[in-house]
Amino acid sequence: MASRIPILLMGMLLLLCWLSEAEYMKYKDSKLPLNVRIKDLMSRMTLEEKVGQMTQIERTVASAEVMKKYFIGSILSGGGSVPAPKASAEAWIDMVNDFQNGSLSTRLGIPMIYGIDAVHGHNNVYKATIFPHNVGLGATRQADSFISADPELVKRIGAATALEVRATGIPYVFAPCIAVCRDPRWGRCYESYSEDHKIVQAMTEIVLGLQGDIPAGSRKGVPFVSGKTKVAACAKHFVGDGGTTEGINENNTVIDRHGLLSIHMPAYYNSIIKGVSTVMVSYSSWNGIKMHANHDLVTGFLKNILRFRGFVISDWTGIDKLTTPSHANYSYSIEAGIKAGIDMIMAPMNYTEFIDGLISQVKNNIIPISRIDDAVKRILRVKFVMGLFEDPLADKSLVNQLGSQEHRELAREAVRKSLVLLKNGESADEPLLPLPKKSSKILVAGSHADNLGYQCGGWTIEWQGLSGNNLTSGTTILTAIKNTVDPLTEVVYEENPDSNYVKSNNFSYAIIVVGEHLYAETFGDNLNLTIPEPGPSTIYNVCGAVKCVVVVISGRPVVMQPYIPLMDALVAAWLPGSEGQGVADVLFGDYGFTG
């Protein structure tokens, strides 16, 4: 009997050792190397769990239950998709954490990653700071340079944007857009820093602002996100989106390989070297081949030649658009998109169809499991690098960063630096600008002078933008003028006065603010590039009767030639965003023009 006790003890010890070994999940140990954690987690995953990781759904169809049932890897807010109108940072955090708790309650507890378009600040969110759109930032110049733009400025904007996005519990942004807009008729031209790829390359410094500076000696191409005040970034739209025929959105870019690689590709090299976490594929085609089905460029070039190690994501229903009409042959779309090398699919609404279709294609050997494993490895790598496994839930420690005064001052600086002076007086000897702050009476006119929505442009609160002054917090150009002039100067605002009114009121001078209406994406495609009425008639009525400066609010260069003889000064202000005070800072000479 006595000899059996040690054997029994030995057996119990072995069982305990085995149980503790079974409980030790390497992927949960942050001290272990990244590849060990990825390999361990991959070895535990079923096909269903892997396909779930490859699926990104819209928040309107998400719930904790959906996350748990389908092992969903990611959620996004499409343009204007919010938990509630004018939702607070706390409301955003509660929503994101609710979804995350669903993901954490799955068998393996793999956290989801929430993504949002923060293309000029945290633009979906009420009271966030709205920075100038990229077209304006691309016009900025460092004092000692006329070639490169101001990369240090956009890096600071990236860091501020990251803080505001994290303030709402979100760790992933679909930015920056590194398109090279070669035709201003394109409706997304304002999302591009420049037609010059060198300027776009310089502006990839925003990646380091969003994600943090990569540690010295890092392997090139490996994603990097520096903790809880930073976000995963996304270089988009791969590749050639700014070069389509006649600037038609989502159209065909006709260019030889050398042209594609020398104009549209360089900013991707820079982004990848800077550790960008994800790359989004373009809706557009290259020489007739849709990018969402282009294995040569997505797998062959981006993954194999550029050695990109993050994940590749589709655009919104991007694979659906591989057929005409969209979604006409979804099984083909799944096969073509996944085989091209796309790792995560934005299947915002019809996610069950995507999941079922992909699982079926793997089981029927249409898509090899090796392709699935490549995708999931990349997605998990980004999640591990970001620290999502250690800190999956957002806390409320950063809520005061949303729309902070410091960020508004930075946006105001960006507005000042982006303004471009196109005309100033009939000759250099008689400039109109800077304007005197002390005058008896001045006129402010134009549809865009007192309209925060027009100032911010598309991708602001709503996908297409919103006209008016009650969309979010900010300063209109009219308010900025009133804040800047001498208290004794009378400021009269008349949106579209007739010439008799102007002549009979004895104004010292007039400031006219006119420009384009709101648009985003295809809705902005414009083959004539003129500004709409009442802009032209306001210019004729006012400038014909009094000294005037015209400030143009637009997402691209627009035709001003017919009105130039009438005006005394002309300023391109692009889409300056929420801080209109930056416009007045320069008009009245507190700062000089540098754009």
Side-chain angles (χ1 to χ4, degrees):
M1 180 75 185
S3 66
R4 289 177 62 190
I5 290 168
I7 294 168
L8 197 65
L9 278 168
M10 187 68 82
M12 286 174 74
L13 279 168
L14 281 168
L15 183 65
L16 280 168
C17 285
W18 181 79
L19 282 170
S20 65
E21 178 63 30
E23 279 308 297
Y24 175 55
M25 295 186 175
K26 288 180 181 174
Y27 75 90
K28 290 190 173 178
D29 186 346
S30 61
K31 293 184 203 72
L32 290 175
L34 200 60
N35 288 341
V36 173
R37 298 178 75 187
I38 294 169
K39 192 174 176 184
D40 178 64
L41 181 48
M42 294 279 295
S43 71
R44 301 170 187 272
M45 292 174 77
T46 63
L47 176 60
E48 286 71 19
E49 285 164 332
K50 288 175 179 176
V51 169
Q53 283 302 303
M54 295 171 67
T55 310
Q56 185 180 64
I57 68 174
E58 219 289 322
R59 58 157 283 284
T60 50
V61 297
S63 66
E65 294 69 38
V66 166
M67 302 310 285
K68 186 175 181 182
K69 182 176 178 184
Y70 295 101
F71 315 106
I72 300 296
S74 184
I75 301 177
L76 83 151
S77 273
S81 177
V82 297
K86 301 190 175 179
S88 65
E90 291 85 351
W92 279 93
I93 289 169
D94 292 342
M95 175 193 72
V96 174
N97 282 347
D98 179 50
F99 295 143
Q100 189 67 283
N101 281 320
S103 295
L104 299 177
S105 68
T106 55
R107 184 177 72 92
L108 295 169
I110 303 172
M112 66 89 187
I113 182 171
Y114 196 107
I116 196 162
D117 284 283
V119 294
H120 62 141
H122 198 8
N123 51 260
N124 258 15
V125 175
Y126 182 61
K127 287 194 173 171
T129 309
I130 306 298
F131 292 92
H133 267 297
N134 288 359
V135 66
L137 298 178
T140 60
R141 289 291 177 276
Q142 288 173 304
D144 57 351
S145 167
F146 285 99
I147 302 159
S148 73
D150 194 343
E152 183 269 338
L153 175 68
V154 293
K155 185 178 179 181
R156 287 188 287 139
I157 288 171
T161 302
L163 282 169
E164 298 209 10
V165 172
R166 282 287 194 170
T168 57
I170 295 171
Y172 176 30
V173 298
F174 307 127
C177 177
I178 53 173
V180 182
C181 176
R182 304 291 284 183
D183 191 323
R185 294 175 291 184
W186 185 36
R188 301 192 83 147
C189 205
Y190 64 70
E191 296 182 55
S192 167
Y193 293 109
S194 180
E195 65 183 335
D196 179 349
H197 69 83
K198 289 194 179 76
I199 289 176
V200 180
Q201 284 179 273
M203 293 313 223
T204 60
E205 202 68 4
I206 194 172
V207 171
L208 299 177
L210 292 164
Q211 297 193 155
D213 288 307
I214 50 176
S218 294
R219 279 180 60 210
K220 297 281 185 278
V222 177
F224 176 74
V225 181
S226 170
K228 291 166 74 173
T229 60
K230 298 295 182 182
V231 293
C234 177
K236 66 183 189 183
H237 308 83
F238 187 84
V239 59
D241 50 343
T244 57
T245 303
E246 295 183 352
I248 297 166
N249 192 40
E250 303 180 18
N251 206 326
N252 189 23
T253 298
V254 180
I255 193 170
D256 64 15
R257 192 176 184 89
H258 173 74
L260 188 81
L261 298 189
S262 60
I263 295 170
H264 299 284
M265 194 68 80
Y268 287 94
Y269 313 151
N270 297 77
S271 300
I272 290 163
I273 288 165
K274 289 169 184 174
V276 76
S277 296
T278 71
V279 169
M280 186 185 291
V281 181
S282 178
Y283 287 130
S284 59
S285 305
W286 175 47
N287 294 339
I289 300 169
K290 285 191 179 279
M291 282 306 311
H292 275 73
N294 196 318
H295 178 273
D296 169 39
L297 286 176
V298 176
T299 298
F301 199 85
L302 179 63
K303 290 183 173 182
N304 296 345
I305 293 176
L306 297 186
R307 310 282 293 163
F308 173 60
R309 290 287 170 268
F311 69 80
V312 178
I313 187 167
S314 83
D315 207 334
W316 177 280
T317 66
I319 63 167
D320 304 48
K321 295 189 182 197
L322 289 175
T323 57
T324 308
S326 182
H327 204 81
N329 182 349
Y330 199 56
S331 60
Y332 162 76
S333 291
I334 293 170
E335 181 185 353
I338 299 296
K339 280 185 173 174
I342 303 173
D343 304 311
M344 185 180 280
I345 300 291
M346 253 189 225
M349 304 302 176
N350 63 313
Y351 60 93
T352 55
E353 186 186 2
F354 168 71
I355 289 168
D356 294 345
L358 183 50
I359 289 170
S360 162
Q361 291 195 19
V362 176
K363 285 182 174 170
N364 289 308
N365 297 319
I366 296 165
I367 291 173
I369 191 69
S370 58
R371 174 71 272 273
I372 303 301
D373 287 347
D374 170 57
V376 178
K377 251 180 225 161
R378 290 165 174 278
I379 293 162
L380 294 178
R381 182 178 290 128
V382 170
K383 291 183 177 185
F384 278 124
V385 159
M386 294 175 70
L388 268 183
F389 281 81
E390 288 68 52
D391 284 306
L393 294 169
D395 62 43
K396 294 179 179 172
S397 61
L398 293 173
V399 293
N400 64 337
Q401 295 288 338
L402 188 72
S404 74
Q405 193 53 40
E406 191 183 342
H407 297 163
R408 293 190 181 281
E409 287 301 326
L410 174 60
R412 179 176 170 180
E413 177 191 343
V415 174
R416 290 198 295 264
K417 290 181 171 178
S418 65
L419 299 180
V420 180
L421 181 61
L422 298 169
K423 180 181 180 179
N424 192 11
E426 288 310 312
S427 71
D429 304 328
E430 296 176 51
L432 178 67
L433 301 174
L435 297 167
K437 293 179 184 177
K438 221 176 190 162
S439 299
S440 57
K441 184 162 65 165
I442 64 172
L443 171 66
V444 179
S447 51
H448 290 54
D450 191 32
N451 192 313
L452 192 61
Y454 279 171
Q455 221 171 274
C456 291
W459 289 111
T460 309
I461 306 299
E462 297 281 351
W463 175 38
Q464 294 292 324
L466 279 173
S467 177
N469 290 336
N470 61 354
L471 69 160
T472 190
S473 304
T475 304
T476 68
I477 294 168
L478 174 65
T479 303
I481 292 165
K482 288 177 175 176
N483 291 344
T484 306
V485 295
D486 186 272
L488 298 175
T489 299
E490 186 187 349
V491 179
V492 177
Y493 173 59
E494 197 65 48
E495 189 173 317
N496 190 18
D498 63 36
S499 55
N500 289 331
Y501 173 84
V502 182
K503 283 172 187 162
S504 61
N505 261 286
N506 207 21
F507 293 111
S508 305
Y509 58 83
I511 301 169
I512 303 168
V513 192
V514 292
E516 293 189 296
H517 291 156
L518 296 164
Y519 58 83
E521 298 191 45
T522 307
F523 294 92
D525 286 358
N526 180 336
L527 294 180
N528 63 23
L529 297 179
T530 53
I531 59 166
E533 284 291 354
S537 57
T538 306
I539 294 170
Y540 281 119
N541 291 344
V542 177
C543 292
V546 69
K547 275 193 184 303
C548 74
V549 53
V550 175
V551 178
V552 185
I553 304 293
S554 69
R556 51 195 159 200
V558 288
V559 177
M560 298 302 291
Q561 196 61 37
Y563 328 114
I564 284 173
L566 289 165
M567 16 171 135
D568 297 280
L570 174 62
V571 176
W574 313 111
L575 295 168
S578 59
E579 305 312 303
Q581 191 64 49
V583 177
D585 285 345
V586 181
L587 289 182
F588 291 95
D590 291 331
Y591 294 83
F593 283 93
T594 55

